[in-house]
């Protein structure tokens, strides 16, 4: 039974196990309905991982379970929202045919992620050697000796798969987050201390280089001044000697005359 009686005599709702059993039977019933004598259909519900502003596709496979050629046609209650490729075709005996159902990008999500769109797949026997060009609308009209099977497929929106959460490199299983934070803090403090020491060392070297440069400039200026004095003294001495020699020569010449 689908109800259980409490001690108080009140009727209680069915428990979860019975509810799952009922849901499984209902799903199995839908599967049996979507699998006819001509074509097998997989999957039996079109599931779309719904994402806004993104085009999403769902594959559909038809299996011919007979030794006859079987024509098919796919219809939808919302043709502007979906595209079906191919929407008509021929399935060869004991073979399969793949169909791609594409939902156009949606600008907004439906309430409660519930979709009322449905698809209808019609199949009918065709003559041997028939091709897609031989398919006519009359082939899917019931009566007049035509064997037509119909299968309704509903659309279900599901949440897209979530990407795995990133795992920090070097993390070990069982290590506490507090320990990781402490280790990272110590590492950062050590790096900061090393950086400060390096900066201080570079600053000191820079100051020493500037000091040495100033000292060299002073020494160079001093050497320039001393060189100038030496040159001036040498010129004066040579000038005195030259004047003395000139006087001696003139005196000698004057004596001779």
């Amino acid at each position: 039974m689908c109800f259980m009686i409490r001690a108080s005599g009140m009727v209680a709702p069915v428990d979860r196990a019975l509810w799952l059993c009922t849901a499984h039977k209902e799903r199995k019933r839908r599967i049996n309905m979507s699998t006819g004598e001509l074509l097998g259909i997989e999957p039996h519900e079109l599931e779309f991982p719904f994402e806004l502003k993104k085009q999403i596709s769902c594959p559909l496979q038809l299996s011919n379970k007979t030794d006859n050629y079987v024509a098919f046609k796919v219809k939808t209650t919302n043709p502007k929202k979906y595209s079906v490729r191919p929407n008509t075709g021929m399935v060869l005996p004991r073979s399969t045919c793949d169909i791609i159902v594409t939902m156009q990008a949606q600008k907004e999500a439906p309430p409660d992620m519930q979709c009322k769109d449905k698809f209808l797949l019609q199949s009918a026997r065709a003559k041997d050697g028939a091709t897609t060009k031989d398919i006519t609308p009359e082939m899917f009209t019931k009566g007049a000796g035509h064997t037509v099977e119909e299968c309704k497929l509903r659309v279900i929106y599901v949440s897209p798969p979530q990407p795995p959460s990133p795992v920090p490199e070097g993390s070990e299983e069982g290590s506490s987050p507090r320990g990781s934070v402490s280790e990272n803090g110590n590492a950062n403090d050590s790096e900061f201390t090393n950086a400060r020491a390096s900066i201080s060392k570079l600053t000191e070297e820079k100051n020493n280089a500037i000091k040495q440069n100033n000292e060299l400039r002073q020494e160079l200026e001093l050497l320039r001044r001393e060189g100038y004095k030496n040159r001036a003294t040498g010129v004066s001495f040579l000038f005195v000697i030259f004047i003395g020699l000139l006087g001696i020569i003139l005196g000698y010449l004057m004596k001779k005359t």
Side-chain angles (χ1 to χ4, degrees), residues 63-82:
S63 302
N64 188 348
K65 301 187 291 183
T66 70
D67 295 326
N68 303 314
Y69 284 71
V70 177
F72 70 88
K73 186 175 183 179
V74 183
K75 298 180 180 180
T76 178
T77 57
N78 198 341
K80 293 183 179 181
K81 184 177 178 181
Y82 302 93

Side-chain angles (χ1 to χ4, degrees), residues 113-148:
M113 293 295 290
Q114 299 296 322
C115 183
K116 298 182 180 180
D117 301 331
K118 291 181 175 61
F119 284 80
L120 176 65
L121 190 142
Q122 296 176 307
S123 57
R125 286 190 177 92
K127 62 182 180 179
D128 293 345
T131 63
T132 304
K133 296 180 180 180
D134 299 324
I135 298 176
T136 60
E138 291 76 14
M139 296 178 61
F140 304 100
T141 303
K142 294 182 180 180
H146 293 165
T147 301
V148 180

Side-chain angles (χ1 to χ4, degrees), residues 168-172 174-192:
E169 295 182 1
S171 62
E172 297 181 359
S175 59
S176 62
R178 186 181 301 272
S180 298
V181 172
S182 177
E183 291 175 2
N184 292 335
N186 294 335
N188 292 334
D189 291 342
S190 178
E191 292 177 359
F192 181 72

